[in-house]
Amino acid sequence: KSQESRDKLTYTGAVCLSELILAHQNFNYRERVLELLISLMGWCKDEKVKQIVCDTISKLYKQDKSGDISLEIVKQTVKLMKSSGYQSEIISTFLDLNLSDVAMKEEKKLSAQEMRDKRQRLSRREKKREKEMRKLENQLLETDAVENEKKRIDYQTQILDQIFVIYFRILKFN
């Protein structure tokens, strides 16, 4: 009876941790929650718990735009592989990784007629000030976009490195 109650408690814990990490991905103990979820794959025998963890990881991969959560999950997966061996369930979640997708926000663009009407209503000084502000805003947006793109590419590179470590480990032991 105690094993049955432990299994129920494990299942309940996995569900709670999964819902927590999906609802609040920037939770300050995110790394620890991910570590607990992924470690369940190594020692838990219950297939329902393993399926919950895999579904959660797949959803996190799909929702991750920057790559930081995906990198943490992949690193934890490498640790799991080193300690407990090959886990086919968690390897299959790699199919949901976003390694080449970039979702850029589309800004609202004013029509040409609206721009002309707006420009005609402004004084010379206001037009000059607006032009300078637009130029500064464009530079700021370009700088921010370049930095975010560099981070994303860096995360993706690290993720691919970790995935190669896992695959070579699998090939080595099989």
Side-chain angles (χ1 to χ4, degrees):
K1 177 150 177 151
S2 68
Q3 182 62 36
E4 182 181 322
S5 62
R6 269 192 236 136
D7 290 345
K8 287 181 182 178
L9 186 61
T10 303
Y11 178 79
T12 304
V15 170
C16 291
L17 288 173
S18 295
E19 289 180 13
L20 174 69
I21 198 68
L22 286 172
H24 303 288
Q25 294 177 6
N26 293 322
F27 181 56
N28 55 348
Y29 289 106
R30 171 178 74 186
E31 187 175 330
R32 183 69 179 132
V33 171
L34 290 172
E35 182 181 331
L36 288 170
L37 276 173
I38 293 172
S39 70
L40 283 174
M41 295 296 293
W43 63 267
C44 186
K45 305 287 188 237
D46 190 3
E47 291 300 318
K48 290 188 288 186
V49 172
K50 288 184 176 189
Q51 188 59 45
I52 288 171
V53 173
C54 287
D55 291 344
T56 302
I57 290 171
S58 292
K59 288 176 186 174
L60 286 171
Y61 283 153
K62 289 176 184 174
Q63 294 173 0
D64 189 19
K65 300 292 185 222
S66 65
D68 59 336
I69 296 173
S70 298
L71 180 60
E72 285 182 35
I73 294 170
V74 172
K75 284 182 177 181
Q76 292 296 329
T77 304
V78 169
K79 286 182 186 178
L80 174 70
M81 295 294 170
K82 286 180 181 177
S83 64
S84 67
Y86 174 69
Q87 300 288 328
S88 63
E89 298 92 354
I90 203 160
I91 298 285
S92 65
T93 62
F94 288 161
L95 296 173
D96 295 317
L97 275 169
N98 289 329
L99 291 177
S100 62
D101 296 340
V102 179
M104 301 297 273
K105 285 186 177 179
E106 290 186 24
E107 294 184 18
K108 182 181 173 187
K109 304 241 177 190
L110 295 175
S111 69
Q113 183 64 35
E114 290 173 341
M115 292 290 284
R116 274 188 239 119
D117 291 344
K118 185 178 176 184
R119 299 259 314 145
Q120 286 178 352
R121 285 181 265 144
L122 297 176
S123 69
R124 182 179 288 170
R125 191 177 282 171
E126 288 173 332
K127 288 179 185 177
K128 186 176 180 180
R129 183 175 178 276
E130 182 183 320
K131 184 178 178 181
E132 290 174 5
M133 289 300 292
R134 206 171 333 119
K135 187 176 178 181
L136 288 173
E137 286 175 3
N138 285 340
Q139 287 176 348
L140 184 63
L141 287 174
E142 287 174 8
T143 304
D144 191 35
V146 167
E147 288 176 9
N148 288 338
E149 182 70 15
K150 285 181 181 178
K151 277 185 181 178
R152 188 187 63 77
I153 290 171
D154 184 47
Y155 286 144
Q156 288 184 0
T157 303
Q158 291 179 27
I159 289 169
L160 285 173
D161 288 343
Q162 295 294 321
I163 289 174
F164 280 130
V165 167
I166 291 171
Y167 285 133
F168 287 133
R169 182 174 297 277
I170 291 169
L171 290 173
K172 181 179 177 182
F173 291 112
N174 284 338

